[in-house]
Amino acid sequence: MKTYAVYLLARKRDGTLYLGVTNNLSRRVWEHRSKAIPGFSARYGVDRLVWYELYDRIDEAIAREKAMKKWRRAWKVALIEEANPTWNDLAEQLNA
């Protein structure tokens, strides 16, 4: 069974944020870090995984991402700080 993730990347603490959805979080973080896909995250150096949620169904993950795209920045920051108050890079957890 596939797992889907909604995730937030940051350039640094309280820096630029990027919100996305993927079916392979490890691969997607690597793509952001290596700038394999040109776009927003490559242009602004947004590559630190600071928050994510996992879903069994893609429709749920896409609905969550779409809802969060409408959120104010302060709400996203509060979500990050609730789960990851020091804004640690969570990518290492993915490979553990």
Side-chain angles (χ1 to χ4, degrees):
M1 184 159 83
K2 281 206 169 207
T3 302
Y4 305 92
V6 178
Y7 63 96
L8 281 164
L9 300 176
R11 182 161 198 258
K12 60 182 181 177
R13 184 181 184 116
D14 294 319
T16 304
L17 296 177
Y18 176 88
L19 173 66
V21 64
T22 184
N23 66 351
N24 186 325
L25 188 55
S26 295
R27 183 203 72 231
R28 191 65 179 119
V29 170
W30 176 85
E31 290 171 348
H32 286 291
R33 289 189 174 174
S34 65
K35 297 175 180 45
I37 299 172
F40 181 88
S41 63
R43 188 175 21 228
Y44 293 99
V46 181
D47 61 5
R48 179 191 298 231
L49 179 65
V50 292
W51 175 89
Y52 65 93
E53 284 181 346
L54 300 176
Y55 294 86
D56 293 328
R57 295 179 32 194
I58 187 63
D59 58 322
E60 292 174 344
I62 290 170
R64 175 70 159 159
E65 181 205 24
K66 285 183 178 184
M68 288 178 67
K69 287 210 182 248
K70 296 176 184 175
W71 284 16
R72 296 174 184 243
R73 177 186 168 78
W75 299 351
K76 294 173 193 168
V77 168
L79 185 68
I80 293 166
E81 291 188 343
E82 180 181 323
N84 185 5
T86 56
W87 292 59
N88 290 328
D89 188 350
L90 304 176
E92 286 80 33
Q93 293 178 2
L94 301 177
N95 301 322

